[in-house]
Amino acid sequence: MTPDERDSGTARERRAASSAAAAAGAQVQRRRQQRGMSQAELARRTGLSKATLSQLEAGAGNPTIDTLDAIAVALAIPLTDLLSRESAPTTFHLQATAANEDGPTRELLRRISGGHSLELWRLRLPPDTAVDGVPHAPGTVEHLLVASGELTAGPVTDARLLGPGDLLAFAGDAPHLYRTGDSPADVTVVIASPAIG
């Protein structure tokens, strides 16, 4: 590797680090403001100087994990919230759709990132329908909330009968199933997968 290539690689690493630091600083500022907390108050709670905090929020700092952890504790949020590169949330409206009467209707309603990647699905199953769930990434957890009807669902080795209002959470990284009997079922499914990268 030539000195020029080495310098170029170092410059790229600095840009990536400063990009991550700027994103973390923006999250610190946004979360602090959401809580109506001044920089001085957050500095007091974390033991950081106000100048250090100001520099971090401006994207000019290079915070350590320990620093970000102290800030997360002071703001009462998960550390992963400060590592997210998402901007401020906007209003999201998805209008209802009609169900397919001849087979299952699956709709991805929303994907939410943070400490986990969250997907919010609506699953509508006609009567006498069987669906085998494909195992997701390791560490994934599925949450089912039954809006109407009855179904048997969950891990193949430990499926449960669920009715309206029932909630079931199970390891989604193993084979699982969804089965209806004489009536249709309308189920909200939240899939929580470990965040990648």
Side-chain angles (χ1 to χ4, degrees):
M1 180 180 288
T2 68
D4 286 344
E5 289 172 331
R6 212 169 20 253
D7 290 345
S8 174
T10 304
R12 272 195 304 276
E13 288 170 11
R14 271 198 301 271
R15 277 196 301 277
S18 54
S19 170
Q27 290 293 354
V28 169
Q29 183 179 50
R30 183 160 70 91
R31 300 307 179 123
R32 175 182 61 76
Q33 290 172 343
Q34 285 174 340
R35 281 153 182 71
M37 193 182 296
S38 68
Q39 276 188 346
E41 176 61 15
L42 182 56
R44 185 188 68 74
R45 291 185 186 197
T46 58
L48 299 171
S49 72
K50 189 177 170 198
T52 298
L53 188 58
S54 179
Q55 198 175 27
L56 189 150
E57 287 189 0
N62 192 12
T64 65
I65 290 294
D66 287 341
T67 297
L68 291 176
D69 186 53
I71 292 170
V73 169
L75 293 172
I77 59 173
L79 172 61
T80 52
D81 285 8
L82 298 180
L83 302 175
S84 169
R85 292 181 184 245
E86 283 194 347
S87 56
T90 57
T91 301
F92 177 80
H93 178 193
L94 182 65
Q95 293 185 327
T97 60
N100 178 358
E101 294 180 11
D102 299 327
T105 304
R106 295 184 201 97
E107 298 174 80
L108 174 60
L109 301 177
R110 187 90 160 121
R111 182 172 282 122
I112 307 163
S113 62
H116 282 79
S117 172
L118 298 181
E119 293 182 354
L120 179 62
W121 291 80
R122 183 176 186 190
L123 175 62
R124 291 176 276 184
L125 298 170
D128 302 312
T129 300
V131 176
D132 292 325
V134 177
H136 304 284
T140 298
V141 177
E142 275 200 32
H143 304 78
L144 309 181
L145 178 61
V146 181
S148 65
E150 283 189 349
L151 79 156
T152 299
V156 169
T157 58
D158 189 22
R160 307 292 176 93
L161 178 62
L162 307 172
D166 286 351
L167 172 71
L168 179 69
F170 59 91
D173 55 7
H176 48 282
L177 58 84
Y178 314 88
R179 304 274 188 274
T180 54
D182 296 338
S183 62
D186 190 334
V187 185
T188 299
V189 182
V190 176
I191 300 174
S193 304
I196 299 172

